[in-house]
């Protein structure tokens, strides 16, 4: 694969494991800049509860996509893929190595591999199919799918009307089988990615999460959440650290219970992150206490051998 000697070092791992601090050390070591793939740190109104890099950390290395949009903005993983690739193109003009760090698996994958590319379909098609489901039943939709896309008919959950309608609306809206849009070959990227993961024993991860939540509270998380209370209907705020304290502010929960729920939900989030990141077999995992020089040696070996899968 062509990478023109350009490398993205992608740092992943569960929340509170030390990704920010490692990414800054690596950016300083390789004299380069950092792209954040943490979808919660994009929002400029949310600092404490997302553990966004501090002013000192932002000074220690140049970061991109930290606090670059508002919770009011329409922004999704497709927008990020576009913006991040365009930023990387600029950065790779100046550097051979760029660091990416983040705990949002989907956002990391969007940059390194690309997303399945589904075209926009006229909503009228879905309305018609829903109508057909109501009047003629699921079987008529299944037969139609079997004719238009035998492959999907064999592979999707054929008894799930949502799935059948989703597949059919793509077939009808594009005149191509739904199956041709799935698992397309990974998008070619003009760089190689070296995947680095940080982890620890589960009890250490949980312990670090609990400590971090206590730290957030002492840094003023409650005040941050209060200042956003009038916007709590926004999707960006329906997230760990914010939604629980809204429950406290509404009088539904005690403060102690809200904090224990933040800890519990953060632990669950960490578990889901690890499940997602473990799917990538090319990730090189390090214990969170591994000395920097060991991580750098491993990366340098990869860079020198270009033996990147």
């Amino acid at each position: 694969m062509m990478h023109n000697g350009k490398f993205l070092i992608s740092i992943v791992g569960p929340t509170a494991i030390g990704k920010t601090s490692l990414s800054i050390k690596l950016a300083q070591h390789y004299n380069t800049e950092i792209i954040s793939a943490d979808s919660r740190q994009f929002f400029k109104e949310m600092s404490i509860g997302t553990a966004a890099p501090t002013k000192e950390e932002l000074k220690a290395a140049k970061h991109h996509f930290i606090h670059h949009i508002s919770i009011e903005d329409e922004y999704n993983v497709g927008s990020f893929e576009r913006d991040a690739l365009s930023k990387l193109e600029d950065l790779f003009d100046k550097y051979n190595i760029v660091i990416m760090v983040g705990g949002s698996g989907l956002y990391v994958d969007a940059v390194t591999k690309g997303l399945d590319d589904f075209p926009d379909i006229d909503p009228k098609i879905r309305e018609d199919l829903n109508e057909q489901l109501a009047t003629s039943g699921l079987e008529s939709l299944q037969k139609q799918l079997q004719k238009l896309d035998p492959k999907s008919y064999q592979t999707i959950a054929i008894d799930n009307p949502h799935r059948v309608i989703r597949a059919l609306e793509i077939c009808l809206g594009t005149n191509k089988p739904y199956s041709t849009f799935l698992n397309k070959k990974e998008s070619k990227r003009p760089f190689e990615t070296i995947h680095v993961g940080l982890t620890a024993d589960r009890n250490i991860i949980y312990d670090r999460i609990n400590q971090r939540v206590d730290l957030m509270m002492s840094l003023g998380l409650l005040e941050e959440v209060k200042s956003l209370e009038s916007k709590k209907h926004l999707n960006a705020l329906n997230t760990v650290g914010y939604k629980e304290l809204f429950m406290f502010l509404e009088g539904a929960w005690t403060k102690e219970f809200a904090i224990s729920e933040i800890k519990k939900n953060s632990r669950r989030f960490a578990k889901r992150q690890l499940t997602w990141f473990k799917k990538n077999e090319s990730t090189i995992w390090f214990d969170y206490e591994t000395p920097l020089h060991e991580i750098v040696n491993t990366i340098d070996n990869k860079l020198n051998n270009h033996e990147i899968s």
Side-chain angles (χ1 to χ4, degrees):
M1 179 177 161
M2 285 302 296
H3 50 71
N4 318 323
K6 303 293 181 184
F7 295 90
L8 181 67
I9 301 173
S10 170
I11 300 165
V12 300
T15 191
I17 196 71
K19 296 185 294 293
T20 299
S21 126
L22 174 63
S23 65
I24 289 169
K25 288 177 190 154
L26 288 174
Q28 291 175 333
H29 177 84
Y30 291 108
N31 188 23
T32 186
E33 300 180 19
I34 298 175
I35 276 194
S36 168
D38 186 312
S39 61
R40 291 163 21 112
Q41 295 177 1
F42 295 165
F43 299 110
K44 55 174 179 258
E45 297 87 349
M46 300 163 68
S47 286
I48 300 174
T50 64
T54 61
K55 285 201 174 66
E56 293 72 47
E57 289 173 326
L58 291 170
K59 273 221 247 347
K62 190 159 169 48
H63 287 70
H64 303 274
F65 304 108
I66 298 283
H67 297 164
H68 71 300
I69 53 171
S70 162
I71 52 178
E72 310 269 1
D73 291 332
E74 282 290 309
Y75 199 79
N76 60 25
V77 67
S79 326
F80 175 67
E81 180 185 9
R82 183 196 62 223
D83 294 348
L85 289 174
S86 146
K87 175 58 71 182
L88 281 171
E89 208 177 322
D90 295 346
L91 292 174
F92 280 128
D93 276 345
K94 292 195 279 187
Y95 308 104
N96 291 328
I97 296 173
V98 176
I99 313 292
M100 180 166 75
V101 61
S104 310
L106 183 64
Y107 287 71
V108 172
D109 285 357
V111 174
T112 58
K113 302 196 299 209
L115 301 164
D116 282 332
D117 233 351
F118 289 113
D120 291 329
I121 302 297
D122 179 356
K124 175 93 174 70
I125 294 178
R126 182 179 294 185
E127 285 167 31
D128 293 346
L129 289 167
N130 276 314
E131 179 101 355
Q132 187 182 334
L133 175 66
T135 53
S136 319
L138 180 58
E139 201 181 337
S140 78
L141 295 173
Q142 291 169 337
K143 286 200 172 115
Q144 194 178 354
L145 183 63
Q146 188 173 18
K147 204 166 71 211
L148 291 174
D149 186 359
K151 192 169 166 196
S152 286
Y153 179 80
Q154 293 300 326
T155 52
I156 69 167
I158 202 72
D159 293 323
N160 179 334
H162 288 294
R163 292 289 171 83
V164 175
I165 285 176
R166 177 69 178 139
L168 270 176
E169 71 175 350
I170 298 274
C171 295
L172 295 167
T174 63
N175 290 321
K176 286 191 201 138
Y178 172 68
S179 50
T180 59
F181 290 96
L182 292 174
N183 306 329
K184 292 201 318 299
K185 266 213 338 285
E186 289 179 6
S187 310
K188 287 277 176 267
R189 297 293 190 228
F191 51 84
E192 281 279 9
T193 304
I194 299 176
H195 300 271
V196 172
L198 279 187
T199 192
D201 291 339
R202 178 171 290 184
N203 53 346
I204 293 177
I205 294 174
Y206 288 176
D207 207 37
R208 287 177 67 90
I209 287 171
N210 294 339
Q211 287 172 24
R212 174 180 279 181
V213 173
D214 291 335
L215 177 66
M216 285 174 172
M217 290 305 294
S218 68
L219 289 171
L221 178 57
L222 185 55
E223 288 66 31
E224 179 170 277
V225 174
K226 263 185 199 150
S227 73
L228 296 168
E229 201 176 2
S230 64
K231 309 247 172 96
K232 66 181 173 198
H233 57 280
L234 292 174
N235 190 37
L237 290 169
N238 180 23
T239 188
V240 183
Y242 296 82
K243 59 182 184 187
E244 299 86 353
L245 287 173
F246 287 140
M247 293 294 281
F248 161 64
L249 292 172
E250 281 165 33
W253 291 353
T254 65
K255 188 162 144 191
E256 289 63 41
F257 184 71
I259 293 170
S260 73
E261 286 294 292
I262 295 177
K263 291 175 178 174
K264 184 184 82 185
N265 290 330
S266 300
R267 293 193 296 266
R268 283 188 176 159
F269 177 53
K271 217 168 132 179
R272 287 200 305 273
Q273 287 174 305
L274 279 168
T275 304
W276 182 293
F277 293 132
K278 293 279 186 200
K279 286 189 308 197
N280 179 355
E281 287 165 14
S282 56
T283 302
I284 314 160
W285 289 96
F286 293 97
D287 182 80
Y288 78 113
E289 288 185 317
T290 306
L292 180 67
H293 68 261
E294 276 184 40
I295 298 179
V296 166
N297 283 344
T298 305
I299 292 172
D300 285 346
N301 281 333
K302 281 275 190 194
L303 293 169
N304 296 333
N305 300 339
H306 290 214
E307 41 136 88
I308 296 164
S309 53

